[in-house]
Amino acid sequence: TVIWHILPRAIQDVWSYFRQFRLHVLVHGLEDFAPQLWRRALGAAAFGALGGLHWCGSVNRAPKFNPRLAESRNTDNYFNKVFMMLAIAEHENFQWILSVDDDVFLPPA
């Protein structure tokens, strides 16, 4: 698809100017958990930008951000992604987060 032609080049461009940039890929299913695909797509020049591949298709692993919601909707993919983004940002001490997901829209914050 077109995204696989555009996304790796965009990541390579950002990585060449902004070395602190990290791409964290959040996936729903184990079939999408494919580090080799990202390694091949990004190429050696930008593979260092890949901060991690994270599976968000099961029980919420970051309930501390909203315990009540995590308990009532603990397998909701949308909330699992949002909570995972917050957990990654907190763990890595990121100053900004940007989501480019098709259903999780967050402005740089």
Side-chain angles (χ1 to χ4, degrees):
T1 65
V2 174
I3 191 75
W4 286 111
H5 296 288
I6 297 169
L7 185 63
R9 173 161 274 149
I11 292 166
Q12 291 167 358
D13 288 348
V14 171
W15 178 244
S16 70
Y17 292 104
F18 186 53
R19 289 297 197 177
Q20 295 83 11
F21 168 83
R22 293 293 179 273
L23 172 70
H24 287 267
V25 180
L26 310 180
V27 298
H28 294 284
L30 290 177
E31 67 276 3
D32 297 323
F33 193 85
Q36 68 280 4
L37 179 129
W38 288 95
R39 188 175 294 116
R40 187 174 56 248
L42 294 174
F47 183 68
L50 184 62
L53 207 53
H54 309 275
W55 182 44
C56 299
S58 68
V59 175
N60 188 317
R61 296 180 300 166
K64 75 176 192 172
F65 296 107
N66 189 330
R68 196 174 83 217
L69 181 62
E71 184 178 325
S72 66
R73 300 187 66 180
N74 68 344
T75 59
D76 184 287
N77 286 330
Y78 174 84
F79 289 115
N80 284 356
K81 285 182 186 178
V82 171
F83 289 171
M84 181 62 73
M85 285 187 272
L86 293 171
I88 292 167
E90 182 179 82
H91 181 266
E92 299 291 331
N93 293 315
F94 288 155
Q95 188 174 359
W96 302 290
I97 312 171
L98 170 66
S99 172
V100 291
D101 192 282
D102 62 345
D103 63 353
V104 180
F105 296 107
L106 294 176

